Amino acid sequence: MAFQILLNLFIAFVWMFLKVSYDPATFIIGYLIGLVLIYLMHKSFAARFYLSSIWAVIYLILLFLKELIVANFSVLKIVLKPNMDFQPGIFAYKTILEKDWEITLLSNLITLTPGTLVVDVHEENNEKILYIHAIHVPDVDDAIEGIKSSFEKAILEVSR
Amino acid sequence: MTETVKIIVVVFLLIGAFFSLVAALGVVRLPDVYTRNHAASKSATLGVMVILIGTFIYFYAAGHSNTRLLLALVFIFLTSPVGGHLINRAAYYSGVKLWDKSIRDDLKGKVKIRNFEK
């Protein structure tokens, strides 16, 4: 992905030298031409076309923000409820992610998800396991699995 | 500065202050370290972020675009979940008990706990 962006910048500079005009407008036109060229030749790169990676990153950031707001309303409900009748607990969650930065990102997302907080990360027989503290175990358990499969999918989409 | 901008700024600041208050209330009311951490790491993050956005809009409408506020926004967004996680982990490793009504503990026996309560 980084290589394609560098190549695109390079094409933009070549366009500026061809036109012998060095202003931002020419640079942007050159960049757009480079974008079209890279799209036409994206089959010859090892990675996929880089705009789809950038879109996946933007999607992940929006997901982060949405989860933060939802999480705050769930905390609000718990804190302002007159009686403390929730049942907290720690559960294990096996993740299929492998690289360190992916796991960091996933645990940040889980921490900002309603009702969950990462306590520890372990590696046991080649499986990465996250230990997550949930504020109400009985009803969140299944829902959380669903949410996290969507997080994992979004992160895999970025790293693909 | 127009009235609408002022109203937007006021709304942002009030929402931020409200969520910070909820975080403080949560720290007082909830029973143990782990549940308190839920309130502290989520509500405080959003509260501070929304206040910073309100401040940015205020100064932007007055003619200064202060990008340091936006940087602070990003830094808080990235670092506060990590802080919450580390406090939780340190608490668990030093033998802080979960609340009595906790119903599940998969991490039990997996880590060496140093007990400081003796």
mmCIF file with all atom_site columns, all heavy atoms in Angstrom, chain A residues 72 76 79 81-82 88 90 92 111 118 120 131 141, chain B residues 22 29 38 42-43 46 85 89 93 102-104 106 110:
data_model
loop_
_atom_site.group_PDB
_atom_site.id
_atom_site.type_symbol
_atom_site.label_atom_id
_atom_site.label_alt_id
_atom_site.label_comp_id
_atom_site.label_asym_id
_atom_site.label_entity_id
_atom_site.label_seq_id
_atom_site.pdbx_PDB_ins_code
_atom_site.Cartn_x
_atom_site.Cartn_y
_atom_site.Cartn_z
_atom_site.occupancy
_atom_site.B_iso_or_equiv
_atom_site.pdbx_formal_charge
_atom_site.auth_seq_id
_atom_site.auth_comp_id
_atom_site.auth_asym_id
_atom_site.auth_atom_id
_atom_site.pdbx_PDB_model_num
ATOM 1   N N   . ASN A 1 72  ? -20.837 5.066   25.777 1.00 0.00 ? 72  ASN A N   1
ATOM 2   C CA  . ASN A 1 72  ? -21.109 6.069   26.790 1.00 0.00 ? 72  ASN A CA  1
ATOM 3   C C   . ASN A 1 72  ? -22.548 6.036   27.243 1.00 0.00 ? 72  ASN A C   1
ATOM 4   O O   . ASN A 1 72  ? -22.824 6.217   28.430 1.00 0.00 ? 72  ASN A O   1
ATOM 5   C CB  . ASN A 1 72  ? -20.771 7.449   26.245 1.00 0.00 ? 72  ASN A CB  1
ATOM 6   C CG  . ASN A 1 72  ? -19.364 7.797   26.576 1.00 0.00 ? 72  ASN A CG  1
ATOM 7   O OD1 . ASN A 1 72  ? -19.067 8.142   27.694 1.00 0.00 ? 72  ASN A OD1 1
ATOM 8   N ND2 . ASN A 1 72  ? -18.483 7.636   25.613 1.00 0.00 ? 72  ASN A ND2 1
ATOM 9   N N   . LEU A 1 76  ? -23.848 5.344   30.994 1.00 0.00 ? 76  LEU A N   1
ATOM 10  C CA  . LEU A 1 76  ? -24.802 6.284   31.580 1.00 0.00 ? 76  LEU A CA  1
ATOM 11  C C   . LEU A 1 76  ? -25.960 5.541   32.228 1.00 0.00 ? 76  LEU A C   1
ATOM 12  O O   . LEU A 1 76  ? -26.352 5.813   33.364 1.00 0.00 ? 76  LEU A O   1
ATOM 13  C CB  . LEU A 1 76  ? -25.328 7.181   30.464 1.00 0.00 ? 76  LEU A CB  1
ATOM 14  C CG  . LEU A 1 76  ? -26.113 8.417   30.830 1.00 0.00 ? 76  LEU A CG  1
ATOM 15  C CD1 . LEU A 1 76  ? -25.149 9.421   31.383 1.00 0.00 ? 76  LEU A CD1 1
ATOM 16  C CD2 . LEU A 1 76  ? -26.815 8.971   29.623 1.00 0.00 ? 76  LEU A CD2 1
ATOM 17  N N   . VAL A 1 79  ? -24.730 3.667   35.417 1.00 0.00 ? 79  VAL A N   1
ATOM 18  C CA  . VAL A 1 79  ? -24.357 4.525   36.544 1.00 0.00 ? 79  VAL A CA  1
ATOM 19  C C   . VAL A 1 79  ? -25.577 5.172   37.176 1.00 0.00 ? 79  VAL A C   1
ATOM 20  O O   . VAL A 1 79  ? -25.665 5.283   38.402 1.00 0.00 ? 79  VAL A O   1
ATOM 21  C CB  . VAL A 1 79  ? -23.348 5.595   36.071 1.00 0.00 ? 79  VAL A CB  1
ATOM 22  C CG1 . VAL A 1 79  ? -23.161 6.668   37.122 1.00 0.00 ? 79  VAL A CG1 1
ATOM 23  C CG2 . VAL A 1 79  ? -22.019 4.960   35.763 1.00 0.00 ? 79  VAL A CG2 1
ATOM 24  N N   . LYS A 1 81  ? -28.637 4.066   37.173 1.00 0.00 ? 81  LYS A N   1
ATOM 25  C CA  . LYS A 1 81  ? -29.680 3.155   37.636 1.00 0.00 ? 81  LYS A CA  1
ATOM 26  C C   . LYS A 1 81  ? -29.653 3.093   39.162 1.00 0.00 ? 81  LYS A C   1
ATOM 27  O O   . LYS A 1 81  ? -28.578 2.999   39.753 1.00 0.00 ? 81  LYS A O   1
ATOM 28  C CB  . LYS A 1 81  ? -29.454 1.756   37.053 1.00 0.00 ? 81  LYS A CB  1
ATOM 29  C CG  . LYS A 1 81  ? -30.755 1.092   36.642 1.00 0.00 ? 81  LYS A CG  1
ATOM 30  C CD  . LYS A 1 81  ? -30.567 -0.027  35.664 1.00 0.00 ? 81  LYS A CD  1
ATOM 31  C CE  . LYS A 1 81  ? -29.609 -1.103  36.098 1.00 0.00 ? 81  LYS A CE  1
ATOM 32  N NZ  . LYS A 1 81  ? -29.531 -2.192  35.126 1.00 0.00 ? 81  LYS A NZ  1
ATOM 33  N N   . PRO A 1 82  ? -30.837 3.160   39.840 1.00 0.00 ? 82  PRO A N   1
ATOM 34  C CA  . PRO A 1 82  ? -30.810 3.209   41.306 1.00 0.00 ? 82  PRO A CA  1
ATOM 35  C C   . PRO A 1 82  ? -30.242 1.953   41.960 1.00 0.00 ? 82  PRO A C   1
ATOM 36  O O   . PRO A 1 82  ? -29.543 2.055   42.968 1.00 0.00 ? 82  PRO A O   1
ATOM 37  C CB  . PRO A 1 82  ? -32.277 3.411   41.678 1.00 0.00 ? 82  PRO A CB  1
ATOM 38  C CG  . PRO A 1 82  ? -33.057 3.136   40.453 1.00 0.00 ? 82  PRO A CG  1
ATOM 39  C CD  . PRO A 1 82  ? -32.178 3.349   39.298 1.00 0.00 ? 82  PRO A CD  1
ATOM 40  N N   . PRO A 1 88  ? -21.020 -8.684  36.828 1.00 0.00 ? 88  PRO A N   1
ATOM 41  C CA  . PRO A 1 88  ? -19.787 -8.612  36.052 1.00 0.00 ? 88  PRO A CA  1
ATOM 42  C C   . PRO A 1 88  ? -19.025 -9.930  36.050 1.00 0.00 ? 88  PRO A C   1
ATOM 43  O O   . PRO A 1 88  ? -19.336 -10.842 36.820 1.00 0.00 ? 88  PRO A O   1
ATOM 44  C CB  . PRO A 1 88  ? -18.978 -7.518  36.758 1.00 0.00 ? 88  PRO A CB  1
ATOM 45  C CG  . PRO A 1 88  ? -19.525 -7.445  38.118 1.00 0.00 ? 88  PRO A CG  1
ATOM 46  C CD  . PRO A 1 88  ? -20.898 -7.997  38.107 1.00 0.00 ? 88  PRO A CD  1
ATOM 47  N N   . ILE A 1 90  ? -15.204 -12.044 34.080 1.00 0.00 ? 90  ILE A N   1
ATOM 48  C CA  . ILE A 1 90  ? -14.139 -12.037 33.078 1.00 0.00 ? 90  ILE A CA  1
ATOM 49  C C   . ILE A 1 90  ? -14.309 -13.246 32.185 1.00 0.00 ? 90  ILE A C   1
ATOM 50  O O   . ILE A 1 90  ? -14.452 -14.362 32.687 1.00 0.00 ? 90  ILE A O   1
ATOM 51  C CB  . ILE A 1 90  ? -12.752 -12.060 33.751 1.00 0.00 ? 90  ILE A CB  1
ATOM 52  C CG1 . ILE A 1 90  ? -12.534 -10.763 34.528 1.00 0.00 ? 90  ILE A CG1 1
ATOM 53  C CG2 . ILE A 1 90  ? -11.662 -12.230 32.715 1.00 0.00 ? 90  ILE A CG2 1
ATOM 54  C CD1 . ILE A 1 90  ? -11.248 -10.739 35.301 1.00 0.00 ? 90  ILE A CD1 1
ATOM 55  N N   . ALA A 1 92  ? -13.011 -15.380 28.454 1.00 0.00 ? 92  ALA A N   1
ATOM 56  C CA  . ALA A 1 92  ? -11.917 -15.516 27.496 1.00 0.00 ? 92  ALA A CA  1
ATOM 57  C C   . ALA A 1 92  ? -12.464 -15.397 26.088 1.00 0.00 ? 92  ALA A C   1
ATOM 58  O O   . ALA A 1 92  ? -13.568 -15.834 25.807 1.00 0.00 ? 92  ALA A O   1
ATOM 59  C CB  . ALA A 1 92  ? -11.227 -16.861 27.672 1.00 0.00 ? 92  ALA A CB  1
ATOM 60  N N   . THR A 1 111 ? -12.164 -2.223  24.309 1.00 0.00 ? 111 THR A N   1
ATOM 61  C CA  . THR A 1 111 ? -12.232 -1.370  25.493 1.00 0.00 ? 111 THR A CA  1
ATOM 62  C C   . THR A 1 111 ? -13.238 -0.249  25.309 1.00 0.00 ? 111 THR A C   1
ATOM 63  O O   . THR A 1 111 ? -13.910 0.150   26.257 1.00 0.00 ? 111 THR A O   1
ATOM 64  C CB  . THR A 1 111 ? -10.835 -0.806  25.809 1.00 0.00 ? 111 THR A CB  1
ATOM 65  O OG1 . THR A 1 111 ? -9.966  -1.902  26.033 1.00 0.00 ? 111 THR A OG1 1
ATOM 66  C CG2 . THR A 1 111 ? -10.853 0.054   27.038 1.00 0.00 ? 111 THR A CG2 1
ATOM 67  N N   . VAL A 1 118 ? -10.643 -4.844  28.220 1.00 0.00 ? 118 VAL A N   1
ATOM 68  C CA  . VAL A 1 118 ? -9.640  -5.897  28.140 1.00 0.00 ? 118 VAL A CA  1
ATOM 69  C C   . VAL A 1 118 ? -8.797  -5.909  29.408 1.00 0.00 ? 118 VAL A C   1
ATOM 70  O O   . VAL A 1 118 ? -8.308  -4.867  29.841 1.00 0.00 ? 118 VAL A O   1
ATOM 71  C CB  . VAL A 1 118 ? -8.739  -5.692  26.912 1.00 0.00 ? 118 VAL A CB  1
ATOM 72  C CG1 . VAL A 1 118 ? -7.648  -6.736  26.881 1.00 0.00 ? 118 VAL A CG1 1
ATOM 73  C CG2 . VAL A 1 118 ? -9.556  -5.757  25.658 1.00 0.00 ? 118 VAL A CG2 1
ATOM 74  N N   . ASP A 1 120 ? -6.374  -8.741  30.029 1.00 0.00 ? 120 ASP A N   1
ATOM 75  C CA  . ASP A 1 120 ? -5.081  -9.347  29.750 1.00 0.00 ? 120 ASP A CA  1
ATOM 76  C C   . ASP A 1 120 ? -5.071  -10.007 28.378 1.00 0.00 ? 120 ASP A C   1
ATOM 77  O O   . ASP A 1 120 ? -6.116  -10.412 27.873 1.00 0.00 ? 120 ASP A O   1
ATOM 78  C CB  . ASP A 1 120 ? -4.750  -10.391 30.830 1.00 0.00 ? 120 ASP A CB  1
ATOM 79  C CG  . ASP A 1 120 ? -3.251  -10.502 31.035 1.00 0.00 ? 120 ASP A CG  1
ATOM 80  O OD1 . ASP A 1 120 ? -2.520  -9.919  30.222 1.00 0.00 ? 120 ASP A OD1 1
ATOM 81  O OD2 . ASP A 1 120 ? -2.826  -11.160 31.986 1.00 0.00 ? 120 ASP A OD2 1
ATOM 82  N N   . TYR A 1 131 ? -8.499  -11.733 27.514 1.00 0.00 ? 131 TYR A N   1
ATOM 83  C CA  . TYR A 1 131 ? -9.370  -11.865 28.678 1.00 0.00 ? 131 TYR A CA  1
ATOM 84  C C   . TYR A 1 131 ? -10.094 -10.546 28.876 1.00 0.00 ? 131 TYR A C   1
ATOM 85  O O   . TYR A 1 131 ? -9.470  -9.502  29.038 1.00 0.00 ? 131 TYR A O   1
ATOM 86  C CB  . TYR A 1 131 ? -8.565  -12.262 29.910 1.00 0.00 ? 131 TYR A CB  1
ATOM 87  C CG  . TYR A 1 131 ? -8.093  -13.680 29.814 1.00 0.00 ? 131 TYR A CG  1
ATOM 88  C CD1 . TYR A 1 131 ? -6.828  -13.973 29.348 1.00 0.00 ? 131 TYR A CD1 1
ATOM 89  C CD2 . TYR A 1 131 ? -8.947  -14.721 30.115 1.00 0.00 ? 131 TYR A CD2 1
ATOM 90  C CE1 . TYR A 1 131 ? -6.406  -15.278 29.206 1.00 0.00 ? 131 TYR A CE1 1
ATOM 91  C CE2 . TYR A 1 131 ? -8.538  -16.035 29.985 1.00 0.00 ? 131 TYR A CE2 1
ATOM 92  C CZ  . TYR A 1 131 ? -7.272  -16.303 29.528 1.00 0.00 ? 131 TYR A CZ  1
ATOM 93  O OH  . TYR A 1 131 ? -6.867  -17.601 29.386 1.00 0.00 ? 131 TYR A OH  1
ATOM 94  N N   . ASP A 1 141 ? -23.089 -11.638 26.471 1.00 0.00 ? 141 ASP A N   1
ATOM 95  C CA  . ASP A 1 141 ? -22.136 -12.607 25.946 1.00 0.00 ? 141 ASP A CA  1
ATOM 96  C C   . ASP A 1 141 ? -22.277 -12.890 24.449 1.00 0.00 ? 141 ASP A C   1
ATOM 97  O O   . ASP A 1 141 ? -21.314 -12.773 23.708 1.00 0.00 ? 141 ASP A O   1
ATOM 98  C CB  . ASP A 1 141 ? -22.286 -13.920 26.724 1.00 0.00 ? 141 ASP A CB  1
ATOM 99  C CG  . ASP A 1 141 ? -20.942 -14.412 27.211 1.00 0.00 ? 141 ASP A CG  1
ATOM 100 O OD1 . ASP A 1 141 ? -19.989 -13.621 27.128 1.00 0.00 ? 141 ASP A OD1 1
ATOM 101 O OD2 . ASP A 1 141 ? -20.858 -15.549 27.658 1.00 0.00 ? 141 ASP A OD2 1
ATOM 102 N N   . VAL B 2 22  ? -20.821 12.184  34.673 1.00 0.00 ? 22  VAL B N   1
ATOM 103 C CA  . VAL B 2 22  ? -21.233 10.773  34.747 1.00 0.00 ? 22  VAL B CA  1
ATOM 104 C C   . VAL B 2 22  ? -20.036 9.893   35.089 1.00 0.00 ? 22  VAL B C   1
ATOM 105 O O   . VAL B 2 22  ? -20.145 8.968   35.900 1.00 0.00 ? 22  VAL B O   1
ATOM 106 C CB  . VAL B 2 22  ? -21.879 10.331  33.422 1.00 0.00 ? 22  VAL B CB  1
ATOM 107 C CG1 . VAL B 2 22  ? -22.027 8.835   33.370 1.00 0.00 ? 22  VAL B CG1 1
ATOM 108 C CG2 . VAL B 2 22  ? -23.225 10.998  33.255 1.00 0.00 ? 22  VAL B CG2 1
ATOM 109 N N   . ARG B 2 29  ? -19.891 5.474   42.521 1.00 0.00 ? 29  ARG B N   1
ATOM 110 C CA  . ARG B 2 29  ? -20.988 4.549   42.798 1.00 0.00 ? 29  ARG B CA  1
ATOM 111 C C   . ARG B 2 29  ? -20.678 3.084   42.543 1.00 0.00 ? 29  ARG B C   1
ATOM 112 O O   . ARG B 2 29  ? -21.222 2.212   43.211 1.00 0.00 ? 29  ARG B O   1
ATOM 113 C CB  . ARG B 2 29  ? -22.206 4.925   41.933 1.00 0.00 ? 29  ARG B CB  1
ATOM 114 C CG  . ARG B 2 29  ? -23.024 6.056   42.492 1.00 0.00 ? 29  ARG B CG  1
ATOM 115 C CD  . ARG B 2 29  ? -24.389 6.037   41.879 1.00 0.00 ? 29  ARG B CD  1
ATOM 116 N NE  . ARG B 2 29  ? -25.186 4.921   42.373 1.00 0.00 ? 29  ARG B NE  1
ATOM 117 C CZ  . ARG B 2 29  ? -26.268 4.458   41.765 1.00 0.00 ? 29  ARG B CZ  1
ATOM 118 N NH1 . ARG B 2 29  ? -26.670 4.989   40.648 1.00 0.00 ? 29  ARG B NH1 1
ATOM 119 N NH2 . ARG B 2 29  ? -26.944 3.448   42.280 1.00 0.00 ? 29  ARG B NH2 1
ATOM 120 N N   . HIS B 2 38  ? -14.665 0.905   33.815 1.00 0.00 ? 38  HIS B N   1
ATOM 121 C CA  . HIS B 2 38  ? -15.582 1.059   32.681 1.00 0.00 ? 38  HIS B CA  1
ATOM 122 C C   . HIS B 2 38  ? -16.019 2.509   32.569 1.00 0.00 ? 38  HIS B C   1
ATOM 123 O O   . HIS B 2 38  ? -15.963 3.114   31.497 1.00 0.00 ? 38  HIS B O   1
ATOM 124 C CB  . HIS B 2 38  ? -16.833 0.194   32.887 1.00 0.00 ? 38  HIS B CB  1
ATOM 125 C CG  . HIS B 2 38  ? -16.645 -1.230  32.498 1.00 0.00 ? 38  HIS B CG  1
ATOM 126 N ND1 . HIS B 2 38  ? -16.795 -1.677  31.224 1.00 0.00 ? 38  HIS B ND1 1
ATOM 127 C CD2 . HIS B 2 38  ? -16.331 -2.314  33.225 1.00 0.00 ? 38  HIS B CD2 1
ATOM 128 C CE1 . HIS B 2 38  ? -16.576 -2.975  31.171 1.00 0.00 ? 38  HIS B CE1 1
ATOM 129 N NE2 . HIS B 2 38  ? -16.291 -3.393  32.386 1.00 0.00 ? 38  HIS B NE2 1
ATOM 130 N N   . LYS B 2 42  ? -14.366 5.173   29.584 1.00 0.00 ? 42  LYS B N   1
ATOM 131 C CA  . LYS B 2 42  ? -15.239 5.523   28.451 1.00 0.00 ? 42  LYS B CA  1
ATOM 132 C C   . LYS B 2 42  ? -15.798 6.931   28.558 1.00 0.00 ? 42  LYS B C   1
ATOM 133 O O   . LYS B 2 42  ? -15.619 7.752   27.661 1.00 0.00 ? 42  LYS B O   1
ATOM 134 C CB  . LYS B 2 42  ? -16.386 4.521   28.353 1.00 0.00 ? 42  LYS B CB  1
ATOM 135 C CG  . LYS B 2 42  ? -15.937 3.228   27.749 1.00 0.00 ? 42  LYS B CG  1
ATOM 136 C CD  . LYS B 2 42  ? -16.931 2.137   27.962 1.00 0.00 ? 42  LYS B CD  1
ATOM 137 C CE  . LYS B 2 42  ? -16.249 0.806   27.800 1.00 0.00 ? 42  LYS B CE  1
ATOM 138 N NZ  . LYS B 2 42  ? -16.840 -0.222  28.616 1.00 0.00 ? 42  LYS B NZ  1
ATOM 139 N N   . SER B 2 43  ? -16.475 7.218   29.685 1.00 0.00 ? 43  SER B N   1
ATOM 140 C CA  . SER B 2 43  ? -17.150 8.516   29.785 1.00 0.00 ? 43  SER B CA  1
ATOM 141 C C   . SER B 2 43  ? -16.147 9.660   29.808 1.00 0.00 ? 43  SER B C   1
ATOM 142 O O   . SER B 2 43  ? -16.373 10.699  29.185 1.00 0.00 ? 43  SER B O   1
ATOM 143 C CB  . SER B 2 43  ? -18.001 8.558   31.043 1.00 0.00 ? 43  SER B CB  1
ATOM 144 O OG  . SER B 2 43  ? -18.891 7.483   31.029 1.00 0.00 ? 43  SER B OG  1
ATOM 145 N N   . LEU B 2 46  ? -14.932 10.428  26.140 1.00 0.00 ? 46  LEU B N   1
ATOM 146 C CA  . LEU B 2 46  ? -15.878 11.180  25.311 1.00 0.00 ? 46  LEU B CA  1
ATOM 147 C C   . LEU B 2 46  ? -16.069 12.583  25.866 1.00 0.00 ? 46  LEU B C   1
ATOM 148 O O   . LEU B 2 46  ? -16.135 13.545  25.094 1.00 0.00 ? 46  LEU B O   1
ATOM 149 C CB  . LEU B 2 46  ? -17.222 10.455  25.226 1.00 0.00 ? 46  LEU B CB  1
ATOM 150 C CG  . LEU B 2 46  ? -18.164 11.072  24.200 1.00 0.00 ? 46  LEU B CG  1
ATOM 151 C CD1 . LEU B 2 46  ? -17.673 10.792  22.802 1.00 0.00 ? 46  LEU B CD1 1
ATOM 152 C CD2 . LEU B 2 46  ? -19.569 10.566  24.343 1.00 0.00 ? 46  LEU B CD2 1
ATOM 153 N N   . HIS B 2 85  ? -6.878  -0.205  30.188 1.00 0.00 ? 85  HIS B N   1
ATOM 154 C CA  . HIS B 2 85  ? -6.454  -1.607  30.138 1.00 0.00 ? 85  HIS B CA  1
ATOM 155 C C   . HIS B 2 85  ? -5.312  -1.859  31.113 1.00 0.00 ? 85  HIS B C   1
ATOM 156 O O   . HIS B 2 85  ? -5.309  -2.848  31.860 1.00 0.00 ? 85  HIS B O   1
ATOM 157 C CB  . HIS B 2 85  ? -6.040  -1.952  28.714 1.00 0.00 ? 85  HIS B CB  1
ATOM 158 C CG  . HIS B 2 85  ? -5.138  -3.131  28.606 1.00 0.00 ? 85  HIS B CG  1
ATOM 159 N ND1 . HIS B 2 85  ? -5.543  -4.390  28.972 1.00 0.00 ? 85  HIS B ND1 1
ATOM 160 C CD2 . HIS B 2 85  ? -3.859  -3.238  28.207 1.00 0.00 ? 85  HIS B CD2 1
ATOM 161 C CE1 . HIS B 2 85  ? -4.531  -5.220  28.778 1.00 0.00 ? 85  HIS B CE1 1
ATOM 162 N NE2 . HIS B 2 85  ? -3.506  -4.550  28.334 1.00 0.00 ? 85  HIS B NE2 1
ATOM 163 N N   . ARG B 2 89  ? -5.121  -4.393  34.324 1.00 0.00 ? 89  ARG B N   1
ATOM 164 C CA  . ARG B 2 89  ? -4.172  -5.497  34.333 1.00 0.00 ? 89  ARG B CA  1
ATOM 165 C C   . ARG B 2 89  ? -3.336  -5.449  35.603 1.00 0.00 ? 89  ARG B C   1
ATOM 166 O O   . ARG B 2 89  ? -3.142  -6.477  36.283 1.00 0.00 ? 89  ARG B O   1
ATOM 167 C CB  . ARG B 2 89  ? -3.274  -5.378  33.103 1.00 0.00 ? 89  ARG B CB  1
ATOM 168 C CG  . ARG B 2 89  ? -2.382  -6.549  32.852 1.00 0.00 ? 89  ARG B CG  1
ATOM 169 C CD  . ARG B 2 89  ? -1.734  -6.390  31.482 1.00 0.00 ? 89  ARG B CD  1
ATOM 170 N NE  . ARG B 2 89  ? -1.034  -7.600  31.112 1.00 0.00 ? 89  ARG B NE  1
ATOM 171 C CZ  . ARG B 2 89  ? 0.239   -7.822  31.400 1.00 0.00 ? 89  ARG B CZ  1
ATOM 172 N NH1 . ARG B 2 89  ? 0.918   -6.932  32.065 1.00 0.00 ? 89  ARG B NH1 1
ATOM 173 N NH2 . ARG B 2 89  ? 0.814   -8.944  31.017 1.00 0.00 ? 89  ARG B NH2 1
ATOM 174 N N   . TYR B 2 93  ? -3.180  -8.348  38.485 1.00 0.00 ? 93  TYR B N   1
ATOM 175 C CA  . TYR B 2 93  ? -1.915  -9.002  38.827 1.00 0.00 ? 93  TYR B CA  1
ATOM 176 C C   . TYR B 2 93  ? -1.529  -8.772  40.272 1.00 0.00 ? 93  TYR B C   1
ATOM 177 O O   . TYR B 2 93  ? -0.772  -9.554  40.834 1.00 0.00 ? 93  TYR B O   1
ATOM 178 C CB  . TYR B 2 93  ? -0.799  -8.511  37.898 1.00 0.00 ? 93  TYR B CB  1
ATOM 179 C CG  . TYR B 2 93  ? -0.712  -9.281  36.616 1.00 0.00 ? 93  TYR B CG  1
ATOM 180 C CD1 . TYR B 2 93  ? -1.801  -9.312  35.750 1.00 0.00 ? 93  TYR B CD1 1
ATOM 181 C CD2 . TYR B 2 93  ? 0.429   -9.971  36.256 1.00 0.00 ? 93  TYR B CD2 1
ATOM 182 C CE1 . TYR B 2 93  ? -1.745  -10.011 34.577 1.00 0.00 ? 93  TYR B CE1 1
ATOM 183 C CE2 . TYR B 2 93  ? 0.493   -10.673 35.069 1.00 0.00 ? 93  TYR B CE2 1
ATOM 184 C CZ  . TYR B 2 93  ? -0.604  -10.694 34.237 1.00 0.00 ? 93  TYR B CZ  1
ATOM 185 O OH  . TYR B 2 93  ? -0.542  -11.398 33.071 1.00 0.00 ? 93  TYR B OH  1
ATOM 186 N N   . SER B 2 102 ? -19.769 -11.032 41.076 1.00 0.00 ? 102 SER B N   1
ATOM 187 C CA  . SER B 2 102 ? -19.228 -11.459 39.789 1.00 0.00 ? 102 SER B CA  1
ATOM 188 C C   . SER B 2 102 ? -19.495 -12.943 39.613 1.00 0.00 ? 102 SER B C   1
ATOM 189 O O   . SER B 2 102 ? -19.394 -13.719 40.559 1.00 0.00 ? 102 SER B O   1
ATOM 190 C CB  . SER B 2 102 ? -17.721 -11.207 39.743 1.00 0.00 ? 102 SER B CB  1
ATOM 191 O OG  . SER B 2 102 ? -17.461 -9.855  39.979 1.00 0.00 ? 102 SER B OG  1
ATOM 192 N N   . ILE B 2 103 ? -19.874 -13.344 38.374 1.00 0.00 ? 103 ILE B N   1
ATOM 193 C CA  . ILE B 2 103 ? -20.307 -14.725 38.210 1.00 0.00 ? 103 ILE B CA  1
ATOM 194 C C   . ILE B 2 103 ? -19.329 -15.552 37.391 1.00 0.00 ? 103 ILE B C   1
ATOM 195 O O   . ILE B 2 103 ? -19.544 -16.721 37.183 1.00 0.00 ? 103 ILE B O   1
ATOM 196 C CB  . ILE B 2 103 ? -21.695 -14.797 37.557 1.00 0.00 ? 103 ILE B CB  1
ATOM 197 C CG1 . ILE B 2 103 ? -21.698 -14.010 36.259 1.00 0.00 ? 103 ILE B CG1 1
ATOM 198 C CG2 . ILE B 2 103 ? -22.752 -14.280 38.507 1.00 0.00 ? 103 ILE B CG2 1
ATOM 199 C CD1 . ILE B 2 103 ? -22.969 -14.207 35.472 1.00 0.00 ? 103 ILE B CD1 1
ATOM 200 N N   . ARG B 2 104 ? -18.247 -14.964 36.929 1.00 0.00 ? 104 ARG B N   1
ATOM 201 C CA  . ARG B 2 104 ? -17.405 -15.718 36.021 1.00 0.00 ? 104 ARG B CA  1
ATOM 202 C C   . ARG B 2 104 ? -15.992 -15.164 36.081 1.00 0.00 ? 104 ARG B C   1
ATOM 203 O O   . ARG B 2 104 ? -15.809 -13.966 36.189 1.00 0.00 ? 104 ARG B O   1
ATOM 204 C CB  . ARG B 2 104 ? -17.956 -15.531 34.609 1.00 0.00 ? 104 ARG B CB  1
ATOM 205 C CG  . ARG B 2 104 ? -17.609 -16.656 33.697 1.00 0.00 ? 104 ARG B CG  1
ATOM 206 C CD  . ARG B 2 104 ? -18.372 -16.522 32.425 1.00 0.00 ? 104 ARG B CD  1
ATOM 207 N NE  . ARG B 2 104 ? -17.642 -17.209 31.387 1.00 0.00 ? 104 ARG B NE  1
ATOM 208 C CZ  . ARG B 2 104 ? -18.010 -17.235 30.127 1.00 0.00 ? 104 ARG B CZ  1
ATOM 209 N NH1 . ARG B 2 104 ? -19.088 -16.614 29.744 1.00 0.00 ? 104 ARG B NH1 1
ATOM 210 N NH2 . ARG B 2 104 ? -17.306 -17.884 29.245 1.00 0.00 ? 104 ARG B NH2 1
ATOM 211 N N   . ASP B 2 106 ? -12.629 -16.368 33.972 1.00 0.00 ? 106 ASP B N   1
ATOM 212 C CA  . ASP B 2 106 ? -11.863 -17.305 33.155 1.00 0.00 ? 106 ASP B CA  1
ATOM 213 C C   . ASP B 2 106 ? -10.368 -17.148 33.344 1.00 0.00 ? 106 ASP B C   1
ATOM 214 O O   . ASP B 2 106 ? -9.599  -18.036 33.015 1.00 0.00 ? 106 ASP B O   1
ATOM 215 C CB  . ASP B 2 106 ? -12.191 -17.092 31.673 1.00 0.00 ? 106 ASP B CB  1
ATOM 216 C CG  . ASP B 2 106 ? -13.562 -17.613 31.335 1.00 0.00 ? 106 ASP B CG  1
ATOM 217 O OD1 . ASP B 2 106 ? -14.181 -18.218 32.224 1.00 0.00 ? 106 ASP B OD1 1
ATOM 218 O OD2 . ASP B 2 106 ? -14.008 -17.421 30.190 1.00 0.00 ? 106 ASP B OD2 1
ATOM 219 N N   . LYS B 2 110 ? -4.641  -18.548 35.662 1.00 0.00 ? 110 LYS B N   1
ATOM 220 C CA  . LYS B 2 110 ? -3.821  -18.436 34.451 1.00 0.00 ? 110 LYS B CA  1
ATOM 221 C C   . LYS B 2 110 ? -2.592  -17.578 34.681 1.00 0.00 ? 110 LYS B C   1
ATOM 222 O O   . LYS B 2 110 ? -1.601  -17.711 33.989 1.00 0.00 ? 110 LYS B O   1
ATOM 223 C CB  . LYS B 2 110 ? -4.655  -17.841 33.311 1.00 0.00 ? 110 LYS B CB  1
ATOM 224 C CG  . LYS B 2 110 ? -5.771  -18.730 32.819 1.00 0.00 ? 110 LYS B CG  1
ATOM 225 C CD  . LYS B 2 110 ? -5.238  -19.729 31.815 1.00 0.00 ? 110 LYS B CD  1
ATOM 226 C CE  . LYS B 2 110 ? -6.252  -20.794 31.480 1.00 0.00 ? 110 LYS B CE  1
ATOM 227 N NZ  . LYS B 2 110 ? -7.441  -20.248 30.815 1.00 0.00 ? 110 LYS B NZ  1
#
